[in-house]
Amino acid sequence: MRPEDLLCPTPRGLYCPPADAYIDPMRPAERALITHGHADHARPGNGAVMATPETLAIMEARYGEDFCGTRQPSPYGAKTRVGEVSVSFHPAGHVLGAAQIRLEWKGFRAVVSGDYKRAHDPTAADFEVVPCDLFVTEATFGLPVFRHPPAEDEIAKLLHSVELFPERAHLVGAYSLGKAQRLMKLLRAAGWDRPIHLHGAMVRVTEAYARLGVDLGETVQVTAADRAKLAGAIVLCPPSALRELWARKFPDPVAVAASGWLRVRARARQGGVELPLVVSDHADWDELRRTILDTGAEEIWVTHGEEDALVHWCGTAGLKARPLRLVGYGDEGDETPAEEAAAP
Amino acid sequence: MNRFAFLLDRLAYEPRRNAKIRLMAEYFRETPDPERGFALAALTGALSFRHAKPGLIRGLIMERTDPVLFGLSYDYVGDLAETVALMWPGETRANRSPLLSEIVEGLTSTAKLDLPKRLAQWLDALDETGRWALLKLITGSLRIGASARLAKTAVAALGEDVKPDDVELVWPGLAPPYEDLFAWVEGRGERPFAEDPAPFRPPMLAHPLEDANFRAFEPKDFVAEWKWDGIRVQASAGRDAEGRHVARLWSRSGEDVSGAFPDLVEALTFDGAIDGELLILREGRVQTFNVLQQRLNRKSVTPKLLAEFPAHIRAYDLLVEGDEDLRERPFEERRKRLEAFIAREDNRRVDLSAIVPFDDWDGLTAARLDPASAGAGDDAAAVEGLMVKRRDSPYVVGRPKGLWFKWKHDPMTVDAVLMYAQRGHGRRSSFYSDYTFGVWTTDPEEGERLAPVGKAYFGFTDEELTELDRFVRKNTTNRFGPVREVVHTAEQGLVLEIAFEGIARSTRHKSGVAMRFPRVARIRWDKPTAEADRLESLEALIAEKEGA
């Protein structure tokens, strides 16, 4: 058999014929396997959805109760038969509930990574190496220039700035699902015990995290009247809000952002960021290479990101590799679903 | 080095002046000697390293990485030092990272051949920010938006009662790592002795006259002189301990600009310090600022340039004569000393700026409106306005109240149409605050259209900015990256009254004209766009100036 018999790239996303299911479909599908809750991977309107219980809860919090026809929770490690295929979900370390999806069919094992990272994240289960024959990996940061520093060091930068400029409000632009909660948890670990203020778009997901047992300490939603009073506060908001009228009402705001992209200075400057924190929920260059080797896979498919460099490197390491050039993933810049962004 | 790298990294992103000062002051406060002194040297541009060239850095990374991966990475990042800092291989760190002082010392003492190995060892031992800072430091391209003046201001902030100008005064006698400077500022040592025989003395500045109700002043308490449209400079000269004559030309902000004006510096044979205006004179006639700018824009100073654009100083004030500091004396007395000094020196590169006689404020108003008839004669086109100084004013550092006033010509204005807007930086980062404006012209093919003639990004109040920003957001017709195109037709759009200080022909601008100092004088919400000015009227202004 060929790997393409088990998985084939289509405009709608990766399709698995023997299971008759799409993985993270771009457009609604009859049957969908969802790796994690980010909007570019988890879209509403599918028929049957299988995902981890956490991902299903996050999708419900973001899209409402009727986000799909039927849902089937699949806890980490449990094997379920879908069509002719044995399907299981394994921790990807990306955000709460994020999974790699393992597919076994006729003795051939494929793992679709979704988005993942190897660094420890107190809000997500640690990445698990799943041996396979075909590894389908992301490559968001697939260039040797992307090597993420320890997240704790970046949090220390933020706290240093808050100490040096106590009369200003620090507005931290971060994705509302995952990054925001990871930052909160890291801030708590670094000793920040004051309330953390949240833009309205962050509230629903943060509440979902709390319901799923992630303790983030006291969080307060920012109201219009409060903004001028938040000198010395740390406020989390979607990245786009830093550039909106909303951000202007705070006392002399410092524009902070947390993203792996900020490793490259020009990108941080283009975004008008004054304090960049290099905190990423994706594997960096070293982690991508290590993971590919760890899986023992002989064939590597690269889904989205900077695939050219990673495919080239696989060649130098004696591995068969191809870019899938799937469009539609990785555009996390404004991954906040519309109805959340519209919230106050 | 890591702490210094962290400072550079923060400064590179921080747009606010005061925040930059605080970041630097905090660093100086918590960093011991001599580290902070070498950092100060780096920030003030006092360090340079001969052997460290980009080719050396490229060679180091090529030995260590796959060329395809390097190519893809460099292409993505777009900056050699940063690409190398980011992709420098290896996880193993030395037990300790090198100190800035070790690096500075090492760069000076290491032979050219041994430099690659030494540099590689440092890069191995530093983290990414440290590598970036090191590579920027040795290639001399820090570009972190902090001037030497700002760094000195941060040093002054360490003291109880030290002003930035005090630091400026002692600066010329100092050398890295500035331990005596820090000791003095922190109250642990004597004020360092400035040994430079040709030091910079911070200049005295004037207030704009519209800020003062000058009609209430007594005319006979004041002296008026022309304000020339050149570059304010200070010519400082004297003898060092060995008796050698040293001369320097300083800019208003304390940059040593001697290198750009060797013809002038050579002529500074006196002992003393003159405050004056740098001008280009041809056959005794002062040339306009546009001519001066042609000399300033050149990278290398060639004999041809020196011959075509001879630099002169027109003297306003005498700060020091021989060993005698005159700055405490009244202006009137300094002026007499200056006149005698210029007469005695008889220097063909240095002349006296004339006094403008007047009996009352109406008389002075008339002189300002018509400099040619009031004594400026053929040089009137290079007059920017008047300086009005109290007869009894001492020469005080900074901008003291009530002593000196500048009374500029009214600016020229043009009614132009807003065409494009771009977001500003820093405080204005979320506002559309940079405006490209245009005037009407007749295109042989397209007919009536707007020709962009300039860009203005100040002149408005915060409230006006909010209104302009709202207008831009509501009337966007197109987007090009950070730029928004704003509606600009004969029927729809917004007219801005643009004030500017000068206008000249330009080959770099498509419209063929370049304005000096354009800013938004008024927002003409009332004026239909079709009634905005035409390119021909700007061209007429240039013709008028050239004819003058």
Side-chain angles (χ1 to χ4, degrees):
Chain A
M1 63 151 286
R2 300 176 311 138
E4 284 79 1
D5 297 331
L6 177 59
L7 272 175
C8 54
T10 74
R12 191 180 283 193
L14 269 181
Y15 178 62
C16 176
D20 187 24
Y22 284 89
I23 295 174
D24 294 349
M26 256 47 104
R27 282 177 285 122
E30 280 295 296
R31 191 180 287 161
L33 310 175
I34 304 291
T35 57
H36 66 284
H38 276 143
D40 52 334
H41 292 260
R43 294 163 202 260
N46 292 303
V49 167
M50 183 186 276
T52 63
E54 295 84 356
T55 297
L56 290 172
I58 287 167
M59 289 177 77
E60 183 176 319
R62 305 186 104 187
Y63 300 128
E65 226 172 288
D66 51 356
F67 68 91
C68 66
T70 59
R71 52 181 106 169
Q72 186 171 356
S74 175
Y76 289 133
K79 287 187 177 163
T80 312
R81 195 141 187 103
V82 179
E84 304 165 23
V85 181
S86 166
V87 176
S88 54
F89 288 66
H90 304 268
H94 177 57
V95 297
L96 180 60
Q100 313 168 68
I101 299 176
R102 180 182 182 277
L103 309 163
E104 186 170 355
W105 180 60
K106 295 184 178 171
F108 184 83
R109 302 158 304 161
V111 169
V112 179
S113 76
D115 292 335
Y116 66 98
K117 71 171 175 288
R118 304 294 298 266
H120 174 68
D121 175 345
T123 65
D126 281 347
F127 180 93
E128 186 185 304
V129 173
V130 184
C132 54
D133 305 301
L134 166 66
F135 185 51
V136 183
T137 181
E138 63 139 327
T140 306
F141 292 114
L143 271 176
V145 293
F146 290 111
R147 288 143 90 202
H148 309 322
E152 292 74 16
D153 294 358
E154 302 299 292
I155 292 295
K157 276 188 202 168
L158 172 59
L159 293 177
H160 173 260
S161 180
V162 172
E163 192 185 327
L164 192 59
F165 301 108
E167 76 288 4
R168 304 172 69 181
H170 283 68
L171 307 192
V172 185
Y175 307 140
S176 11
L177 165 57
K179 186 69 64 61
Q181 293 75 27
R182 183 180 178 203
L183 291 176
M184 291 185 229
K185 200 81 182 167
L186 285 165
L187 279 165
R188 296 307 184 203
W192 182 262
D193 49 14
R194 290 159 54 188
I196 295 173
H197 300 265
L198 300 181
H199 184 281
M202 303 250 159
V203 172
R204 227 180 297 176
V205 177
T206 304
E207 285 170 356
Y209 264 61
R211 280 197 300 276
L212 292 164
V214 181
D215 177 18
L216 300 168
E218 191 189 346
T219 59
V220 184
Q221 181 173 352
V222 175
T223 63
D226 275 349
R227 282 179 289 184
K229 295 179 212 149
L230 290 178
I234 294 177
V235 182
L236 297 187
C237 62
S240 57
L242 287 177
R243 300 185 297 270
E244 301 297 329
L245 284 161
W246 176 83
R248 292 185 201 157
K249 305 283 183 193
F250 291 90
D252 199 6
V254 182
V256 189
S259 164
W261 296 114
L262 302 175
R263 178 97 279 194
V264 175
R265 290 175 169 78
R267 294 216 37 168
R269 269 194 286 276
Q270 281 154 11
V273 175
E274 294 160 47
L275 179 59
L277 307 179
V278 186
V279 179
S280 173
D281 289 328
H282 292 271
D284 68 6
W285 174 251
D286 295 337
E287 293 175 19
L288 289 169
R289 292 183 303 165
R290 173 155 70 97
T291 306
I292 287 170
L293 296 176
D294 284 351
T295 61
E298 285 165 14
E299 182 155 355
I300 311 298
W301 293 358
V302 184
T303 55
H304 60 284
E306 297 291 328
E307 51 262 48
D308 292 348
L310 197 59
V311 168
H312 171 82
W313 174 81
C314 286
T316 64
L319 298 166
K320 190 174 163 196
R322 63 176 271 214
L324 294 186
R325 307 208 189 281
L326 295 176
V327 290
Y329 296 129
D331 189 19
E332 271 190 302
D334 282 301
E335 48 83 25
T336 311
E339 82 277 17
E340 276 183 19
Chain B
M1 183 70 194
N2 282 334
R3 182 63 183 84
F4 177 61
F6 174 70
L7 172 71
L8 288 187
D9 193 47
R10 289 286 282 119
L11 288 174
Y13 291 111
E14 179 55 65
R16 291 165 178 78
R17 184 177 180 276
N18 284 334
K20 281 182 203 277
I21 294 172
R22 251 154 85 182
L23 285 165
M24 285 189 277
E26 193 219 14
Y27 169 83
F28 291 137
R29 203 168 284 126
E30 64 180 38
T31 308
D33 289 320
E35 297 308 311
R36 58 178 176 176
F38 287 113
L40 179 59
L43 291 165
T44 53
L47 299 176
S48 76
F49 310 107
R50 283 168 302 146
H51 300 318
K53 295 273 154 35
L56 165 69
I57 296 164
R58 191 186 282 267
L60 284 177
I61 196 70
M62 284 315 217
E63 286 168 19
R64 286 167 174 76
T65 52
D66 177 307
V68 174
L69 294 179
F70 173 75
L72 287 167
S73 298
Y74 186 29
D75 192 45
Y76 185 90
V77 176
D79 177 286
L80 179 66
E82 187 173 346
T83 309
V84 173
L86 286 167
M87 68 184 298
W88 188 261
E91 320 257 323
T92 46
R93 300 267 172 268
N95 289 333
R96 54 181 283 281
S97 70
L99 294 169
L100 177 59
S101 55
E102 293 169 49
I103 288 173
V104 171
E105 205 278 321
L107 282 169
T108 339
S109 65
T110 307
K112 193 175 176 185
L113 262 149
D114 300 329
L115 196 57
K117 192 165 160 246
R118 196 75 195 266
L119 187 53
Q121 286 166 349
W122 289 329
L123 290 170
D124 281 339
L126 287 164
D127 64 9
E128 190 278 331
T129 310
R131 291 192 294 262
W132 168 77
L134 171 62
L135 294 171
K136 287 286 172 187
L137 181 69
I138 65 174
T139 53
S141 54
L142 282 182
R143 286 199 202 98
I144 41 146
S147 65
R149 174 75 179 176
L150 214 56
K152 292 171 198 168
T153 305
V155 172
L158 300 184
E160 289 286 313
D161 192 25
V162 181
K163 292 186 191 65
D165 290 325
D166 298 331
V167 175
E168 209 71 77
L169 278 174
V170 299
W171 185 260
L174 305 176
Y178 307 111
E179 291 183 27
D180 44 353
L181 172 67
F182 285 109
W184 165 59
V185 169
E186 291 171 342
R188 295 181 285 104
E190 289 296 303
R191 182 186 171 104
F193 178 62
E195 291 177 65
D196 188 333
F200 171 64
R201 296 173 176 86
M204 175 160 173
L205 304 171
H207 286 272
L209 197 53
E210 57 265 25
D211 292 349
N213 182 9
F214 69 97
R215 301 232 167 227
F217 295 151
E218 186 55 54
K220 67 176 183 344
D221 291 343
F222 288 86
V223 179
E225 58 189 351
W226 300 120
K227 182 174 183 352
W228 298 100
D229 194 6
I231 303 171
R232 177 97 178 267
V233 289
Q234 191 177 111
S236 183
R239 291 190 182 277
D240 67 13
E242 282 85 46
R244 278 185 303 252
H245 192 261
V246 179
R248 278 189 238 286
L249 202 59
W250 299 97
S251 77
R252 204 182 87 159
S253 54
E255 315 283 334
D256 186 342
V257 295
S258 309
F261 301 98
D263 49 339
L264 187 50
V265 173
E266 188 187 72
L268 304 176
T269 48
F270 53 80
D271 281 7
I274 290 173
D275 181 350
E277 197 83 10
L278 191 142
L279 300 164
I280 302 294
L281 260 67
R282 287 176 182 157
E283 290 160 17
R285 270 193 68 179
V286 182
Q287 305 298 304
T288 61
F289 190 82
N290 194 34
V291 175
L292 174 55
Q293 211 153 25
Q294 293 171 42
R295 170 152 181 180
L296 298 179
N297 290 342
R298 302 300 166 82
K299 277 209 183 86
S300 58
V301 184
T302 60
K304 184 161 175 276
L305 192 70
L306 295 179
E308 279 178 30
F309 301 91
H312 289 72
I313 290 180
R314 190 147 278 189
Y316 295 133
D317 214 325
L318 187 63
L319 313 186
V320 177
E321 184 176 7
D323 292 335
E324 192 184 355
D325 193 331
L326 303 176
R327 286 176 292 174
E328 304 278 315
R329 312 290 179 86
F331 175 76
E332 209 165 20
E333 187 185 334
R334 293 200 310 277
R335 175 74 197 188
K336 286 205 183 80
R337 298 277 294 262
L338 176 69
E339 287 170 6
F341 184 82
I342 298 290
R344 197 169 60 240
E345 287 291 322
D346 190 24
N347 188 323
R348 63 191 172 80
R349 292 279 186 168
V350 185
D351 64 9
L352 189 67
S353 181
I355 294 286
V356 182
F358 69 102
D359 297 322
D360 52 31
W361 296 123
D362 287 338
L364 192 61
T365 308
R368 169 172 166 267
L369 291 175
D370 186 7
S373 317
D378 285 346
D379 292 339
V383 167
E384 201 191 357
L386 287 167
M387 293 297 299
V388 183
K389 301 176 175 176
R390 274 196 76 96
R391 289 181 185 275
D392 59 2
S393 57
Y395 195 92
V396 188
V397 168
R399 209 184 293 273
K401 284 211 171 81
L403 298 180
W404 285 12
F405 301 94
K406 54 184 171 191
W407 195 13
K408 287 201 188 182
H409 286 322
D410 290 331
M412 292 177 255
T413 62
V414 62
D415 284 336
V417 181
L418 173 62
M419 299 177 71
Y420 305 95
Q422 194 172 349
R423 281 204 180 101
H425 300 282
R427 294 191 77 74
R428 294 173 171 176
S429 59
S430 60
F431 290 94
Y432 284 91
S433 62
D434 294 13
Y435 310 111
T436 301
F437 52 85
V439 292
W440 292 107
T441 184
T442 308
D443 189 289
E445 277 153 39
E446 295 172 47
E448 284 297 280
R449 66 172 188 90
L450 283 163
V453 287
K455 226 176 165 189
Y457 42 90
F458 64 104
F460 35 78
T461 63
D462 284 355
E463 290 78 56
E464 286 173 326
L465 174 58
T466 314
E467 290 169 8
L468 284 166
D469 178 71
R470 197 175 304 136
F471 179 86
V472 169
R473 287 171 194 271
K474 282 191 182 156
N475 293 281
T476 301
T477 52
N478 214 340
R479 288 167 202 239
F480 312 95
V483 178
R484 286 195 186 206
E485 183 174 33
V486 182
V487 62
H488 55 270
T489 65
E491 294 78 33
Q492 275 184 296
L494 180 62
V495 175
L496 301 175
E497 183 181 313
I498 304 291
F500 53 99
E501 295 302 314
I503 185 159
R505 289 187 200 286
S506 164
T507 48
R508 274 182 301 162
H509 297 75
K510 211 175 160 195
S511 62
V513 300
M515 292 177 184
R516 188 155 166 243
F517 231 45
R519 69 263 187 195
V520 177
R522 268 198 300 169
I523 308 172
R524 297 294 306 265
W525 299 106
D526 55 309
K527 191 159 188 168
T529 50
E531 290 172 26
D533 279 312
R534 304 188 55 83
L535 189 57
E536 294 87 77
S537 42
L538 291 180
E539 284 163 350
L541 272 178
I542 299 176
E544 194 181 306
K545 255 203 123 188
E546 285 175 344

